[in-house]
Amino acid sequence: MAEDLVLKKCDLELEVNGHDHHTADLCRERLVVRRGQPFWLTLYFEGRSYEASTDSLTFIVVTGPAPSETAGTKACFPLSSAVEEGAWAAAVLDQQDGVVSLQLSTPANAPIGLYHLSLEASTGYQGSSFVLGHFTLLFNTWCPADAVYLDSEEERQEYVLTQQGFIYQGSVKCIKSIPWNFGQFEDGILDICLTLLDMNPKFLKDACRDCSRRSNPVYLGRVVSAMVNCNDDQGVLLGRWDNNYEDGVSPMFWIGSVGILRRWKTSGCQRVKYGQCWVFAAVACTVLRCLGIPTRVVTNFNSAHDQNSNLLIEYVYNKSGEIQKDKSEMIWNYHCWAESWMSRPDLQPGYEGWQALDPTPQEKSEGTYCCGPVPVRAIKEGDLSIKYDAPFVFAEVNADVVNWILQDDGSLCKSTNNSQTVGMKISTKSVGRDEREDITHNYKYPEGSPEEREAFKRANHLNKLTDKVETGVAMRIRVGQSMNMGSDFDVFAYITNNTAKSHTCRLLLHARTVSYNGVLGPECGTKDLLSLSLEPLSEKSIPLRILYEKYCECLTESNLIKVWGLLMEPDANSYLLAERDIYLENPEIKIRILGEPKQNRKLMAEASLRNPLPTPLLGCTFTMEGAGLMEEQKIMDVPDPVAAGEEVKVRVDLLPCHVGRHKLVVNFESDKLKAVKGFRNIIIGPA
C-alpha cells in the first residue's frame, strides 16, 4: 500500500498571479484574483510525489460564515488532467518530482469575497486534509463572461485600476476640477471594503443569502450605495450641510477616500463626520473599483431635488425679490453620484452599461437610504418603471423650474421667463486624460428634438411638453471674465427690449452667498431701481458692485454667490426673473518636485500659495496625499500669520514605491481661505 501524501507547503504564486490578474498592488502579502480567470499555485510534497493513478486530490473552497453548495458559497472539485474554464476546477500543468504546478479556475459568476482554500488527499482508504490558504476573489472586467465586462482596455485601466481622478464642482458657467485620491489599492483598503460588506444589514440579517448574492454587481452596488452613508446602518459617512463642522471634518477638507475609510475602520466602524455629495460618491467609487466594478464619479450641474415626484421645482419670490424659505425642494448648484458598468439581466435588453448609483442620503428606496443602480439609458428614454429609482434620477436631470411672484393679496403670478435649466454639463473625467468629458448626451436627447419629446411623453412630463411663452423683453446676468477670491467686482443685469414700444419697469438686483446645495446665506449686494426706462429695440446693462468686505464673512467653502434680478412692469403685471451662480476663483497652489523621481528613492515636494486677500491668514495648514507616493496623509501647520500678498511654503518627503504615473493632491485651509486644492502629476521611473 502506498504511503500517505504529505504536503510540505503550498505556494500561492503571489507575484505571477498578481501580474496576471491586475492585482499586483493587492498581492504583496496575500492572494487576490479575479473571477472567471485561472490562477496558479504550486504544491510541494515530501516523502513521495503525487501519482494520478493512486492518489485522489479534492479541493474545497468556501466563503462566508455559513457556506453551502446550493448557495454557491462552497465548491468541491477534483484535480484533473484537463484544463477547464468557467467553473470551479483544478488541473495539473507541470510535475517534477515532488513539485506539482496547478491551475485553478473560477466561475465568472462566483460570489466575490474572502475564500478559504483546502485540499483533501486520499490514497486508497486513507486520507489527509491540508489548509492551502486564503484568497480574495474580485469582479473581473477583463473576462467576457463577467457581468462587469468592458471591452475597452483604456476604460478598464481608467475605471478599475486608476487610483486618482477629478471631481467637478463650481457652477455651470465656471466648472472647476477638484483632484481626488481614490486609493483603492492602498494598504488595508481591500480589507476595509470587505468589512463594509459584512457590516451591511442584509448580511447581519441573513449572512448566507447575502454572501450568495455577492455574485451580482447590481445587488452589490445597492449595498455599497446604502453603506457609504450611515443613515440606516453602521455606514461610513455622516452627511452635514449647515456649515457647522467643529466636531468633525469639513467635507471640503477631504482630498481622498483612504483617510475616510481608514478612520471608519479604526474607530470600530463608527460614522465619519462629515460628507457631502462628492465625498459620498468618491468613497463609493473607491469601494466599487477596489471590488473590481468599473466606476466613475459624475457631476450634474443644476441638479433638482424633487421630493414629491411631480417633476416640478417651484420657487416663490415676494415683490422685493426675496426668496420665500418655506420649501425643501430646490435646485442644487451641482450634485455628484457614481456610475458603474454592468449588465442588467433583470431588465429588458438595452439597459446594460452605465448605471447611476447615488450614496448621498436624500430619499429612501425600498425603505433604505440608497439610490440605484438605474440604467442611464432608461433615464434618457424616460422609462421610469425601470429598477431602481428611475423617477428620482430622471427628475435630477429633467425637472422643470417655475418661479412665482407673491402678490399683495396672497395670490401668485408666474414669472414669464426662467434662466435656470435643470441637468446641464453632466461631467466626468476623460479616459486617460486630466480633462473633463461632457456626458449630458448619455442622459438627455438634444433639447427640442423629437426624441426628447417622446422621452417626456413616456415619463408623463407634462410641464416640459407645454410650449414656452416668449416675451419681447429679456434679461440675463452677465459677469466679467474671472472673479477672484478677495476682490471686489461687478455683475450686470443685461436687459434687451425687442418690442417696438417703451417699457417703464422696476429692477431689483440681489446677491447672496449660497451653498452648493442651494441654501442661501446673507446678502452681499443689492440694488433697487424704481423707474427704469426701456426704449424700443434697445439694450441696457445695469451693474451691481459686490464688495469683499460684504461677502468675506459669510461665503461658504463652496465659494459661490447667487445673483438674481427681478424686472417688474406694474402696468402690465409682468415679471421677468434671471439668475446666475458665480464662482470665486481660489489662488493657485504651486507644487515643485525636488529630486529624481525614481522608485524607492526619496523625493521632496514643495507646495506654495500666495495670500490673495487684503487681510492676514491665520490657522494655515497644508494637507497632502497620493497613492503610491506616501503611506498616509500628511498635515503641515504654517506659523501665523500669513500677511496679505505673502507667499507661504511647506515641504514634505515622498517615497514612491511603484513605477508609473502618480498624482500628489494638496489641500490648503485657513481661517478666511478654505478648501484650496492643487495637484501635480509625477512620473516615477525604475530605480
Side-chain angles (χ1 to χ4, degrees):
M1 179 182 293
E3 61 182 284
D4 288 350
L5 271 177
V6 178
L7 182 67
K8 182 179 180 181
K9 71 170 183 176
C10 172
D11 185 347
L12 296 178
E13 303 291 356
L14 300 187
E15 186 173 351
V16 64
N17 284 320
H19 177 270
D20 290 351
H21 286 253
H22 308 276
T23 55
D25 289 340
L26 299 171
C27 271
R28 289 193 282 271
E29 295 181 357
R30 67 153 180 230
L31 180 62
V32 181
V33 293
R34 301 187 186 276
R35 65 185 193 176
Q37 178 178 340
F39 63 94
W40 329 109
L41 56 84
T42 304
L43 301 180
Y44 294 81
F45 294 99
E46 63 180 1
R48 70 174 182 86
S49 182
Y50 162 74
E51 297 178 18
S53 59
T54 59
D55 299 315
S56 174
L57 300 184
T58 301
F59 294 87
I60 300 101
V61 293
V62 296
T63 184
S68 77
E69 292 184 81
T70 55
T73 52
K74 178 181 179 180
C76 304
F77 48 96
L79 180 63
S80 67
S81 57
V83 175
E84 182 182 355
E85 295 187 13
W88 289 107
V92 176
L93 294 182
D94 186 42
Q95 182 173 356
Q96 296 182 7
D97 299 326
V99 181
V100 181
S101 297
L102 305 177
Q103 172 183 295
L104 264 66
S105 299
T106 63
N109 62 349
I112 62 102
L114 181 64
Y115 279 80
H116 175 82
L117 174 63
S118 59
L119 172 67
E120 291 185 353
S122 61
T123 304
Y125 295 105
Q126 302 179 21
S128 304
S129 296
F130 305 98
V131 174
L132 302 184
H134 293 83
F135 66 93
T136 301
L137 192 65
L138 304 179
F139 290 100
N140 191 355
T141 190
W142 285 266
C143 174
D146 197 305
V148 300
Y149 173 67
L150 257 175
D151 61 4
S152 164
E153 178 60 23
E154 277 191 323
E155 291 183 347
R156 294 191 288 244
Q157 292 285 330
E158 179 71 43
Y159 299 134
V160 175
L161 301 184
T162 297
Q163 296 197 77
Q164 307 88 18
F166 291 98
I167 298 170
Y168 295 94
Q169 299 179 356
S171 69
V172 71
K173 297 282 189 179
C174 186
I175 297 174
K176 307 305 296 182
S177 59
I178 305 300
W180 193 268
N181 179 40
F182 294 108
Q184 66 267 31
F185 303 134
E186 292 289 85
D187 288 348
I189 296 302
L190 176 56
D191 285 334
I192 295 171
C193 293
L194 296 177
T195 299
L196 181 146
L197 298 184
D198 288 347
M199 292 299 294
N200 100 79
K202 294 177 180 178
F203 176 86
L204 300 176
K205 181 180 179 181
D206 187 343
C208 183
R209 186 166 188 260
D210 176 79
C211 288
S212 175
R213 297 179 75 187
R214 292 181 189 181
S215 61
N216 182 357
V218 176
Y219 174 78
L220 206 74
R222 199 152 171 79
V223 167
V224 171
S225 173
M227 283 300 296
V228 168
N229 71 71
C230 66
N231 287 43
D232 307 288
D233 42 49
Q234 279 189 273
V236 178
L237 278 160
L238 177 63
R240 191 161 189 169
W241 285 267
D242 62 3
N243 297 313
N244 296 315
Y245 311 120
E246 291 79 8
D247 63 336
V249 175
S250 163
M252 279 287 187
F253 174 84
W254 304 114
I255 50 178
S257 307
V258 175
I260 295 169
L261 289 167
R262 285 176 177 168
R263 186 176 296 205
W264 177 72
K265 181 67 180 296
T266 57
S267 69
C269 302
Q270 296 299 305
R271 60 192 186 181
V272 177
K273 302 175 181 179
Y274 290 103
Q276 292 177 1
C277 70
W278 69 94
V279 188
F280 288 109
V283 171
C285 183
T286 294
V287 173
L288 292 165
R289 283 187 184 182
C290 185
L291 298 176
I293 301 176
T295 305
R296 61 191 185 184
V297 176
V298 167
T299 301
N300 175 41
F301 288 92
N302 292 351
S303 190
H305 185 178
D306 177 28
Q307 285 188 316
N308 59 11
S309 302
N310 68 348
L311 296 172
L312 192 64
I313 306 295
E314 297 176 283
Y315 286 100
V316 178
Y317 296 78
N318 63 24
K319 284 191 173 182
S320 297
E322 297 165 336
I323 298 177
Q324 305 302 288
K325 293 184 177 180
D326 57 352
K327 280 186 65 64
S328 56
E329 289 193 329
M330 58 181 59
I331 306 298
W332 291 29
N333 203 271
Y334 59 86
H335 180 56
C336 301
W337 57 77
E339 283 183 1
S340 293
W341 182 275
M342 62 189 72
S343 64
R344 291 299 301 265
D346 57 323
L347 303 178
Q348 64 197 60
Y351 283 149
E352 67 281 351
W354 289 116
Q355 313 287 315
L357 282 156
D358 192 348
T360 299
Q362 297 179 89
E363 302 293 330
K364 285 191 173 184
S365 171
E366 296 183 344
T368 301
Y369 278 102
C370 66
C371 180
V374 58
V376 172
R377 178 66 185 273
I379 304 305
K380 184 173 184 176
E381 299 297 338
D383 193 346
L384 306 191
S385 64
I386 294 298
K387 296 187 296 187
Y388 293 89
D389 310 306
F392 187 79
V393 179
F394 182 84
E396 287 183 305
V397 299
N398 282 305
D400 208 8
V401 182
V402 175
N403 296 301
W404 299 96
I405 311 301
L406 183 63
Q407 305 297 295
D408 295 335
D409 61 1
S411 64
L412 296 174
C413 182
K414 192 175 181 180
S415 168
T416 50
N417 82 325
N418 171 56
S419 57
Q420 196 167 30
T421 302
V422 166
M424 298 183 70
K425 299 289 181 70
I426 304 175
S427 303
T428 193
K429 179 187 174 296
S430 295
V431 175
R433 295 178 295 138
D434 288 346
E435 296 177 13
R436 184 183 73 89
E437 180 183 355
D438 193 310
I439 57 170
T440 309
H441 61 279
N442 289 351
Y443 284 83
K444 307 170 79 167
Y445 283 107
E447 188 173 354
S449 66
E451 294 88 350
E452 182 196 49
R453 196 166 183 85
E454 284 303 311
F456 288 155
K457 284 180 182 177
R458 203 172 290 115
N460 198 29
H461 197 354
L462 305 180
N463 302 307
K464 286 285 190 178
L465 295 172
T466 304
D467 292 331
K468 302 298 181 184
V469 177
E470 297 293 334
T471 62
V473 178
M475 177 172 61
R476 52 187 169 151
I477 305 298
R478 284 184 167 181
V479 299
Q481 284 191 328
S482 65
M483 287 137 294
N484 297 320
M485 178 67 74
S487 66
D488 303 336
F489 56 89
D490 289 314
V491 296
F492 303 89
Y494 182 72
I495 305 167
T496 57
N497 178 12
N498 295 315
T499 71
K501 67 174 187 173
S502 298
H503 297 269
T504 301
C505 304
R506 179 186 178 187
L507 174 65
L508 285 161
L509 288 174
H510 290 276
R512 292 173 68 174
T513 59
V514 63
S515 297
Y516 87 96
N517 64 339
V519 176
L520 291 170
E523 195 165 70
C524 55
T526 185
K527 178 175 283 190
D528 187 354
L529 299 181
L530 295 174
S531 181
L532 178 66
S533 295
L534 301 177
E535 301 301 322
L537 303 175
S538 66
E539 301 174 353
K540 279 199 173 180
S541 187
I542 311 297
L544 173 65
R545 188 73 169 166
I546 299 178
L547 304 176
Y548 173 71
E549 65 182 37
K550 295 290 188 181
Y551 68 76
C552 65
E553 297 297 333
C554 52
L555 193 71
T556 72
E557 295 173 348
S558 302
N559 281 21
L560 291 167
I561 293 175
K562 181 179 283 291
V563 178
W564 70 94
L566 180 60
L567 188 67
M568 299 177 281
E569 189 175 8
D571 293 344
N573 197 29
S574 173
Y575 300 88
L576 285 173
L577 185 75
E579 63 181 86
R580 181 163 180 169
D581 292 309
I582 296 168
Y583 178 82
L584 300 186
E585 296 274 5
N586 276 322
E588 178 188 7
I589 294 179
K590 296 180 179 178
I591 303 171
R592 286 201 309 151
I593 302 301
L594 310 174
E596 192 173 9
K598 295 204 170 184
Q599 185 181 19
N600 297 323
R601 185 176 298 181
K602 274 192 175 181
L603 285 174
M604 186 171 284
E606 178 187 87
S608 62
L609 175 143
R610 190 173 299 280
N611 178 8
L613 306 184
T615 56
L617 298 177
L618 304 176
C620 302
T621 62
F622 283 89
T623 305
M624 297 191 196
E625 66 177 79
L629 296 172
M630 54 178 65
E631 288 186 358
E632 58 186 7
Q633 186 184 82
K634 294 186 179 179
I635 302 175
M636 291 142 289
D637 296 326
V638 176
D640 291 335
V642 178
E646 181 183 351
E647 186 178 51
V648 58
K649 295 180 182 179
V650 296
R651 289 184 175 183
V652 64
D653 290 328
L654 307 177
L655 186 60
C657 54
H658 301 298
V659 173
R661 190 170 183 259
H662 302 272
K663 191 177 263 88
L664 181 67
V665 183
V666 182
N667 180 67
F668 175 84
E669 295 279 336
S670 71
D671 61 333
K672 296 185 181 69
L673 195 61
K674 299 180 184 296
V676 184
K677 303 291 194 289
F679 76 96
R680 172 73 182 263
N681 289 321
I682 305 172
I683 298 176
I684 304 299

